Amino acid sequence: MGNWLVNHWFSVLFLVVWIGLNVFLFVHTFLKYEKSDKYYYTREILGFCSRTLRKPLDHNLTFHKLVAYMICILTAVHIIAHLFNFERYSRSQQATDVSLASVLSNLSHHEKHGGSWLNPIRSPNVTVLHVTFTSIAGLTGVIGTIALILMVTSAMEFIRRNYFELFWFTHHLFVIYILCLALHGIGGIVRGQTKESMDESHPQRCAQSFEKWDDHDSDCRHPQFEGNPPESWKWILAPVILYVFERILRFLRSQQRVVITKVVMHPSKVLELQMNKQGFNMEVGQYIFVKCPSISLLEWHPFTLTSAPEEDFFSIHVRAAGDWTENLIRAFEQQHSPVPRIEVDGPFGTVSEDVFQYEVAVLVGAGIGVTPFASILKSIWYKFQRADHNLKTQKIYFYWICRETGAFAWFNDLLISLEQEMEELGKVGFLNYRLFLTGWDSNIAGHAAWNFDKATDILTGLKQKTYFGRPKWENEFSTIATAHPKSVVGVFLCGPQTLAKNLRKCCHRYSSLDPRKVQFYFNKENF
């Protein structure tokens, strides 16, 4: 726990401040309605809560999800509260006794021309459903709730992974949700007594004598009410301005001309695009957003850069994993047609940028998740070529987990070059890499076993043999901790959440309580 707090103290502080601000705003608004005399008569109809119940930025996606969960929870609380409110509004309107709540509910009849009403249900014959779909507050509430439900359900991982376009388009319903949020308070459903009416007939003085309101010998008059001005815009104005500014900035950046210098089609339907763009500067492990207008005018997709900062181009590798990527690969496979135009926004930073800040780095890639580490390993190759003495990293452990042998092919050339470079420089032990094949048949396994004594691996052509199955992470971490008893080890993953969970546990388990000894710090790519 202590290691986790040291590693994530800023994220914890940020979340505490953010949650504290939300709690403060909730309590402040609650107390305004609960204690203010302005809402004395409103509370007479709705009742008192005491009678029922008295609730980094590298992790930007995690924070985004947390905000979404908070919105969903508070929306549910808001809806449930209004269900209770309207049930009480309806009950007060239909009451036949001469109670204060009944008198207040019928003010809409007495003061019809003045418009001073307190109960939005104006007549015993009016239903809650009618008020819901004929008032601004009700209509915007229903539309906003439907938009939120569609956004949340389409954001489930299964839909994101398999039907990205559906997720992408429905997620932009947030525009409708924000608009409904801004308009929701215009109807003034929750009303308070006007200042002039309070000066004339203060509820603390007149509430108990409501039967004598407007009597000639009484100082109390029928109270006058007004709706609150909309306040939601105060909380959404700043985020909307920031969002619009960011969209404009991204649009301007995306209009810069991108030149595609090379197109390579690798095995396993992996497309490599090498590009140039004026003023483009990158660091290892960063990513860009890519749009192909001929496929979709609206969709932007994130791709990790596989090139090194030392190269005179930037590149991405695209695997067929959905309609958009399949259409992109198909467009570049057509030899006699013009090269499709590509728009690029970025680059944007990720946790992998910090890889060279660690003495020992553990890189774990699953499938196409190896792409950020291609950039890192290429950069290392260039640093050794140029004898960069500022390189702090002393050892790299690289694990690549794939389902099929073809996935290894496009990365083999880089690993072979690194092997040769390390041998020539006498640093064979600098890079320790292991390739794991999780999907195979008996023919592949038998062929590999039959040729096991050969100098190079029969599947990849590398000196390091391919392992069948998955890594035993407890053994791997134990070995690394033993080999580097006083080092700071950065663990970087680009892969599924289940693997992230296992690696995070191992980082905590094998980190020493003594800060002078081995410490593992977990970092995961988030897209």
Side-chain angles (χ1 to χ4, degrees):
M1 183 64 180
N3 291 326
W4 187 88
L5 284 175
V6 169
N7 198 24
H8 299 88
W9 68 269
F10 182 78
S11 298
V12 173
L13 178 62
F14 183 80
L15 286 178
V16 168
V17 172
W18 181 76
I19 292 174
L21 181 60
N22 277 274
V23 171
F24 167 78
L25 293 174
F26 179 86
V27 172
H28 177 267
T29 306
F30 169 80
L31 292 177
K32 179 178 74 172
Y33 288 113
E34 178 69 7
K35 300 298 182 182
S36 175
D37 290 335
K38 182 177 181 179
Y39 301 100
Y40 182 96
Y41 293 118
T42 306
R43 293 194 298 272
E44 277 299 317
I45 295 181
L46 300 181
F48 296 85
C49 287
S50 58
R51 295 177 186 173
T52 53
L53 297 174
R54 298 272 190 202
K55 213 182 177 56
L57 294 179
D58 285 330
H59 299 84
N60 59 320
L61 286 183
T62 303
F63 181 68
H64 177 84
K65 292 176 182 178
L66 181 62
V67 172
Y69 294 146
M70 182 72 77
I71 289 174
C72 291
I73 292 172
L74 294 181
T75 298
V77 170
H78 185 78
I79 293 171
I80 293 170
H82 271 311
L83 290 176
F84 280 105
N85 289 347
F86 273 91
E87 190 275 332
R88 287 171 175 169
Y89 277 136
S90 178
R91 189 169 56 193
S92 299
Q93 184 60 259
Q94 295 176 8
T96 57
D97 60 347
V98 190
S99 63
L100 177 57
S102 176
V103 171
L104 292 170
S105 294
N106 286 295
L107 282 179
S108 56
H109 299 289
H110 297 303
E111 303 291 337
K112 186 173 182 180
H113 299 290
S116 181
W117 53 271
L118 184 59
N119 191 333
I121 300 178
R122 305 293 186 86
S123 164
N125 299 323
V126 175
T127 64
V128 173
L129 199 61
H130 179 270
V131 175
T132 300
F133 287 97
T134 57
S135 64
I136 295 176
L139 201 57
T140 55
V142 171
I143 296 174
T145 301
I146 293 173
L148 181 63
I149 291 172
L150 291 174
M151 285 191 289
V152 171
T153 53
S154 64
M156 293 188 297
E157 185 172 0
F158 173 79
I159 294 179
R160 288 203 321 271
R161 300 296 182 191
N162 297 283
Y163 305 97
F164 182 83
E165 288 80 6
L166 176 63
F167 155 73
W168 195 91
F169 284 110
T170 54
H171 224 59
H172 282 74
L173 290 173
F174 80 90
V175 175
I176 295 177
Y177 181 81
I178 293 295
L179 184 62
C180 289
L181 190 62
L183 299 175
H184 190 58
I186 290 180
I189 291 292
V190 179
R191 299 167 69 83
Q193 193 173 358
T194 63
K195 185 178 183 302
E196 294 77 9
S197 177
M198 289 187 65
D199 292 339
E200 182 183 36
S201 305
H202 198 282
Q204 297 291 351
R205 176 168 53 85
C206 297
Q208 302 304 319
S209 57
F210 65 91
E211 298 95 339
K212 300 180 181 179
W213 284 349
D214 288 339
D215 285 356
H216 295 293
D217 57 346
S218 174
D219 295 332
C220 296
R221 298 289 177 265
H222 277 93
Q224 302 292 313
F225 300 97
E226 63 182 355
N228 287 329
E231 294 188 351
S232 299
W233 65 270
K234 298 178 182 178
W235 313 112
I236 63 177
L237 180 62
V240 167
I241 291 175
L242 288 174
Y243 176 78
V244 171
F245 175 78
E246 189 236 10
R247 298 307 299 185
I248 293 173
L249 181 62
R250 288 183 62 177
F251 173 78
L252 294 176
R253 288 190 307 196
S254 67
Q255 296 307 300
Q256 294 177 312
R257 184 167 175 262
V258 176
V259 179
I260 300 175
T261 58
K262 189 175 182 180
V263 179
V264 182
M265 196 66 209
H266 293 284
S268 298
K269 295 209 75 174
V270 174
L271 171 69
E272 179 183 355
L273 296 178
Q274 296 183 8
M275 297 166 278
N276 275 320
K277 180 180 176 181
Q278 185 177 3
F280 189 91
N281 295 304
M282 62 163 289
E283 297 294 336
V284 294
Q286 291 186 324
Y287 68 96
I288 59 175
F289 281 98
V290 175
K291 181 174 79 170
C292 183
S294 62
I295 298 176
S296 174
L297 292 174
L298 298 175
E299 291 184 52
W300 290 87
H301 291 257
F303 292 95
T304 305
L305 292 167
T306 54
S307 53
E310 293 83 357
E311 294 176 309
D312 59 357
F313 62 88
F314 63 94
S315 65
I316 59 173
H317 285 68
V318 182
R319 177 175 62 90
D323 294 340
W324 190 91
T325 51
E326 288 178 357
N327 290 334
L328 182 69
I329 293 173
R330 194 177 299 115
F332 278 97
E333 283 179 329
Q334 297 174 3
Q335 298 180 353
H336 301 293
S337 60
V339 176
R341 184 169 65 90
I342 293 292
E343 296 180 9
V344 170
D345 184 24
F348 301 97
T350 67
V351 294
S352 295
E353 291 182 57
D354 299 330
V355 65
F356 295 135
Q357 302 301 317
Y358 292 94
E359 301 168 9
V360 180
V362 178
L363 314 179
V364 183
I368 198 67
V370 74
T371 48
F373 308 132
S375 174
I376 293 169
L377 295 177
K378 282 183 181 179
S379 184
I380 289 173
W381 188 84
Y382 281 104
K383 290 180 186 298
F384 278 120
Q385 283 273 326
R386 301 173 183 179
D388 187 349
H389 299 291
N390 295 321
L391 184 62
K392 183 179 179 180
T393 306
Q394 301 299 316
K395 180 78 174 183
I396 288 183
Y397 294 88
F398 173 55
Y399 301 85
W400 190 10
I401 307 166
C402 281
R403 294 179 181 176
E404 55 183 14
T405 56
F408 292 128
W410 70 270
F411 206 53
N412 285 353
D413 292 341
L414 174 59
L415 291 176
I416 291 172
S417 299
L418 283 170
E419 278 185 339
Q420 295 173 351
E421 187 70 21
M422 299 303 127
E423 287 181 0
E424 292 174 4
L425 296 174
K427 294 188 176 183
V428 178
F430 177 83
L431 176 63
N432 184 327
Y433 68 90
R434 296 188 181 186
L435 310 182
F436 290 83
L437 185 63
T438 59
W440 74 91
D441 55 31
S442 56
N443 292 331
I444 295 176
H447 190 53
W450 182 262
N451 295 276
F452 185 78
D453 293 333
K454 290 189 175 181
T456 57
D457 184 66
I458 193 66
L459 299 178
T460 64
L462 297 166
K463 293 182 179 180
Q464 176 68 52
K465 304 297 182 180
T466 300
Y467 292 83
F468 291 84
R470 301 182 185 277
K472 296 182 179 179
W473 293 114
E474 290 78 7
N475 296 342
E476 300 296 333
F477 273 78
S478 178
T479 301
I480 295 172
T482 303
H484 309 279
K486 296 183 179 181
S487 296
V488 177
V489 183
V491 179
F492 296 85
L493 167 68
C494 189
Q497 191 60 39
T498 51
L499 181 55
K501 186 177 180 180
N502 291 335
L503 293 179
R504 187 179 286 109
K505 285 183 179 179
C506 288
C507 286
H508 294 161
R509 182 180 304 164
Y510 290 95
S511 290
S512 174
L513 294 176
D514 187 345
R516 295 169 296 181
K517 296 183 178 180
V518 64
Q519 303 290 321
F520 289 91
Y521 292 93
F522 179 72
N523 305 272
K524 183 182 183 301
E525 299 285 350
N526 290 300
F527 295 107

